[in-house]
Amino acid sequence: MNKKIIARITIVSFIIGLMIAIQYNTVQKPTERDTRDIWEVRQELSEEKKRQSELLSEILTLSEDVKEYESSNSKNQGQVLQNTLEELKREAGLSPVSGPGLTLNIRPSMELIEFGYQVEPITPELLIRLVNEIFRFNGLYMEINGQRIVHTTAIRDINGDTTVNSIPINDTEVEIKVITESFEMAEKLYSYLYASGFQDDFYIDNLDLVINKAQDKITITKFDGELVNSYLVEENKGD
């Protein structure tokens, strides 16, 4: 009996000691604290809610397409599918698109050229920042020097040249076309870019970023290339 009591006391003492050791280690090595202030957290939360809203809108649009298809008769189902196909082609960049938007021009700073400053072409990093910011502000479609921006577009340096879709854009002037949801959204994008620090960032690189006012209609060409599909595979139905 004494041996059983001693064994139980030993086990309980071991467990208590282990818990104390774990607690001590936790106090000595606390988890890393989040050092962001409240505004940074709110901004990140706002971005996540924006993504959630976009996903919900996309789900709602697809649900409406399904309802329209199911409610239509067999004669109209083909037209519904054709309309859906055309919309998907526009979103994927496989067809031209027109709508309200604005244009931006990137050109060498003339006054700096006159003073003998060396003007280098726009860097991929700076161009990527501008493109991401425009899309973040609900830019729907974009074109850079005639190159349609799609989900497979790569903006990178190839042998010292800044390329878009593997096409060099190191021209004297770079033109960017942007289409938005509405003319009002195009005006908001214009105001946002004009008030941002992008023009100063370009000026540091001896470049001028000209932000033109919103327009009622801008046309963007289709993607001149082949979209690579890495995930969808055509089913072989046999004979």
Side-chain angles (χ1 to χ4, degrees):
M1 180 65 67
N2 291 335
K3 291 183 178 180
K4 291 184 179 179
I5 295 176
I6 293 174
R8 291 176 182 176
I9 293 176
T10 302
I11 294 173
V12 171
S13 300
F14 174 77
I15 294 174
I16 294 175
L18 181 62
M19 294 177 62
I20 293 175
I22 294 174
Q23 183 178 7
Y24 177 79
N25 187 59
T26 303
V27 173
Q28 293 296 317
K29 297 180 180 179
T31 57
E32 185 177 352
R33 295 180 57 188
D34 192 343
T35 58
R36 296 175 297 175
D37 59 31
I38 185 63
W39 293 110
E40 291 175 326
V41 175
R42 287 173 63 89
Q43 183 177 5
E44 184 173 346
L45 178 61
S46 176
E47 292 294 331
E48 292 299 328
K49 293 187 69 174
K50 182 179 178 181
R51 295 190 187 98
Q52 181 185 21
S53 177
E54 291 174 353
L55 289 174
L56 291 176
S57 297
E58 185 67 19
I59 292 173
L60 179 61
T61 300
L62 294 176
S63 298
E64 291 175 352
D65 291 340
V66 172
K67 289 180 181 178
E68 184 179 2
Y69 179 76
E70 292 176 344
S71 62
S72 61
N73 54 42
S74 58
K75 182 178 180 180
N76 294 329
Q77 285 179 353
Q79 185 60 44
V80 173
L81 289 175
Q82 183 64 30
N83 294 339
T84 303
L85 177 62
E86 292 299 326
E87 179 62 27
L88 292 175
K89 288 176 65 176
R90 282 194 297 270
E91 293 181 359
L94 297 178
S95 62
V97 62
S98 298
L102 52 83
T103 61
L104 299 90
N105 298 98
I106 303 169
R107 58 174 68 108
S109 180
M110 300 307 298
E111 64 270 21
L112 295 180
I113 292 177
E114 292 179 359
F115 281 98
Y117 285 85
Q118 180 67 31
V119 178
E120 298 292 338
I122 184 172
T123 62
E125 294 77 16
L126 187 56
L127 186 57
I128 290 172
R129 280 188 54 206
L130 179 60
V131 168
N132 288 341
E133 197 67 15
I134 291 173
F135 277 130
R136 192 183 71 84
F137 204 84
N138 288 335
L140 294 180
Y141 310 106
M142 193 182 310
E143 173 187 296
I144 301 177
N145 275 18
Q147 292 298 317
R148 179 76 172 266
I149 305 300
V150 296
H151 70 282
T152 59
T153 293
I155 300 175
R156 55 190 175 186
D157 182 292
I158 299 179
N159 296 327
D161 292 329
T162 298
T163 63
V164 177
N165 295 329
S166 299
I167 304 298
I169 62 163
N170 292 350
D171 297 335
T172 304
E173 182 171 325
V174 176
E175 182 182 55
I176 301 176
K177 294 182 179 181
V178 183
I179 290 180
T180 56
E181 295 179 355
S182 62
F183 182 77
E184 291 74 15
M185 184 60 69
E187 289 184 315
K188 290 181 179 179
L189 177 59
Y190 166 81
S191 300
Y192 171 74
L193 292 175
Y194 201 84
S196 69
F198 274 107
Q199 289 180 308
D200 294 335
D201 294 336
F202 278 82
Y203 192 75
I204 292 175
D205 287 353
N206 300 334
L207 298 169
D208 283 337
L209 174 62
V210 180
I211 306 168
N212 301 295
K213 291 188 176 181
Q215 302 178 38
D216 291 319
K217 184 178 180 180
I218 288 179
T219 300
I220 290 179
T221 59
K222 68 177 182 179
F223 176 65
D224 186 18
E226 182 179 355
L227 293 178
V228 178
N229 196 342
S230 303
Y231 301 100
L232 296 181
V233 179
E234 184 177 1
E235 181 181 0
N236 186 6
K237 297 182 179 179
D239 298 332

